[in-house]
Amino acid sequence: MKLLPSKMDLKTALEVFAVFQWTLSIVMIITTVILVNLYLVVFTPYWPVTVLILTWLAFDWKTPQQGGRRVNCVRNWKLWKHYSDYFPLKLLKTHDISPSQNYILVCHPHGLMSHSYFGHFATESSGFSKIFPDITPYLLTLGAFFWVPFFRDYLMCSGCCSVSQSSMDFLLTHKGTGNMLVVVVGGLAECRYSLPGSTTLVLKNRTGFVRTALRHGVALIPAYSFGETDLYNQYIFPPGSLGNRFQKLFQRMVHIYPCAFYGRGFTENSWGLLPYARPVTTIVGKPLPVPKIENPSQEMVAKYHALYIDALCKLFDQHKTRFGISETQELVIA
């Protein structure tokens, strides 16, 4: 009779916990911060604590737009290694890059929660510093995440910064060279296409990253994560149904498409909101040189946007068959 868990059982439990704490941390931290501060203000005489928190938030407001507050020991937590092993995640490069320049790494697809990009670029679980020596990654994410006390600090400790224009300008002008800005350009709009086997990207009208690259003269690097869209399933409501009408109404109101997604629970064959344990491999392509033009014209932006899409498609086509994608399947640019 088996009384104690095996090493494999403990390893699996640690991996599930690592993914669980990150996947639901935003919900748990936001909920806890709101409820605790409401309790302090309404039911206790300790409302000055809330005032102090808000005062610090106001004082520290611009930090996510000015390089953040990276803590390398947090990036190197052993917890993140369990996080990476859960899927597992793998980061591969096709070319070396020089630390004498800055770069904008453009990642596709967004998926539902961008698990692979967090693992690769906000932690050292994939060995980023060994793969890209002397390069400092900055994973850029929604500025709204930095409105929440404590969660914003958790994010910044991992090297995350705001994806705002002012943040990108600061990183490209005040941090020297050897910086890699990691941008997932499809954003939340791409979540609706995050289905197993999907290769649809929201990119046709996303040109801001190209304009920023031109203004600063930094190279664009395409990256594609094979398997990111396989981590969750989605329930697709029939056109005209109540669920579908709600999704469209919500999207019109807040410009976010609410997805009815699901994955696994704490055990392998259960239902829940954790991602499926499926491998994800991110291929980082060749840098696309971009000239420095202080005020690029729309024609110049369109030219380099087209060159970037061409480079991305070539990267995808070169590696897709290794990951079970048929030779005939192509990227769909929406």
Side-chain angles (χ1 to χ4, degrees):
M1 185 175 179
K2 191 175 180 181
L3 298 176
L4 296 174
S6 66
K7 288 185 178 179
M8 183 60 69
D9 292 334
L10 289 173
K11 184 177 185 299
T12 300
L14 286 171
E15 290 172 2
V16 170
F17 171 75
V19 174
F20 168 76
Q21 68 82 29
W22 171 247
T23 303
L24 299 182
S25 62
I26 182 169
V27 177
M28 292 187 294
I29 293 176
I30 289 175
T31 303
T32 301
V33 167
I34 291 174
L35 292 179
V36 168
N37 280 283
L38 280 175
Y39 177 77
L40 291 176
V41 171
V42 177
F43 299 106
T44 77
Y46 301 112
W47 57 265
V49 174
T50 299
V51 173
L52 284 174
I53 292 173
L54 294 176
T55 301
W56 168 250
L57 184 62
F59 176 79
D60 197 51
W61 189 256
K62 290 187 177 180
T63 300
Q65 302 176 44
Q66 297 178 345
R69 195 161 38 239
R70 180 185 302 262
V71 179
N72 285 327
C73 67
V74 174
R75 290 176 54 85
N76 285 283
W77 277 350
K78 291 187 180 296
L79 180 72
W80 302 130
K81 179 59 177 170
H82 295 300
Y83 175 94
S84 181
D85 290 345
Y86 171 89
F87 298 95
L89 303 179
K90 192 173 185 179
L91 178 64
L92 300 175
K93 67 177 178 180
T94 60
H95 293 78
D96 291 327
I97 63 174
S98 170
S100 64
Q101 302 177 40
N102 289 324
Y103 305 89
I104 297 178
L105 180 71
V106 192
C107 297
H108 313 271
H110 181 280
L112 278 161
M113 293 192 181
S114 299
H115 285 290
S116 60
Y117 310 125
F118 178 81
H120 294 322
F121 307 116
T123 81
E124 285 293 330
S125 62
S126 299
F128 179 91
S129 295
K130 294 179 180 178
I131 299 171
F132 297 102
D134 301 317
I135 299 294
T136 303
Y138 292 91
L139 180 60
L140 305 185
T141 187
L142 280 175
F145 288 146
F146 299 98
W147 299 351
V148 184
F150 305 113
F151 183 70
R152 70 197 304 271
D153 300 288
Y154 190 22
L155 278 178
M156 286 193 287
C157 284
S158 66
C160 293
C161 293
S162 170
V163 76
S164 67
Q165 186 63 59
S166 61
S167 174
M168 297 181 73
D169 290 340
F170 183 93
L171 291 169
L172 294 172
T173 57
H174 289 73
K175 289 288 186 177
T177 58
N179 300 302
M180 178 186 284
L181 278 60
V182 182
V183 184
V184 190
V185 296
L188 294 176
E190 206 168 80
C191 291
R192 65 187 302 177
Y193 301 111
S194 185
L195 296 162
S198 171
T199 56
T200 299
L201 306 178
V202 175
L203 184 58
K204 185 182 295 183
N205 297 317
R206 300 292 173 103
T207 59
F209 69 98
V210 179
R211 185 177 297 278
T212 299
L214 285 165
R215 287 178 52 240
H216 293 277
V218 299
L220 293 168
I221 306 178
Y224 195 91
S225 285
F226 292 91
E228 181 68 43
T229 59
D230 297 334
L231 299 182
Y232 291 96
N233 283 316
Q234 279 195 59
Y235 182 79
I236 305 300
F237 294 102
S241 66
L242 181 61
N244 181 251
R245 291 201 301 270
F246 169 77
Q247 287 176 317
K248 290 181 177 179
L249 175 63
F250 193 89
Q251 184 180 30
R252 284 198 300 269
M253 292 173 62
V254 298
H255 305 288
I256 296 175
Y257 188 84
C259 300
F261 69 93
Y262 59 94
R264 58 166 279 184
F266 290 108
T267 56
E268 188 172 356
N269 296 316
S270 60
W271 183 96
L273 296 179
L274 294 179
Y276 294 114
R278 294 170 180 169
V280 183
T281 301
T282 301
I283 309 289
V284 177
K286 180 181 179 180
L288 172 67
V290 172
K292 186 174 182 178
I293 305 173
E294 188 172 344
N295 294 301
S297 64
Q298 188 58 44
E299 291 74 18
M300 188 61 68
V301 172
K303 172 186 175 181
Y304 279 91
H305 186 258
L307 288 173
Y308 172 78
I309 290 178
D310 183 60
L312 173 64
C313 290
K314 287 180 179 177
L315 178 72
F316 176 80
D317 290 338
Q318 183 180 355
H319 297 278
K320 61 186 178 183
T321 55
R322 293 171 53 190
F323 302 99
I325 300 175
S326 70
E327 189 68 45
T328 57
Q329 188 167 351
E330 298 181 349
L331 287 179
V332 178
I333 308 299

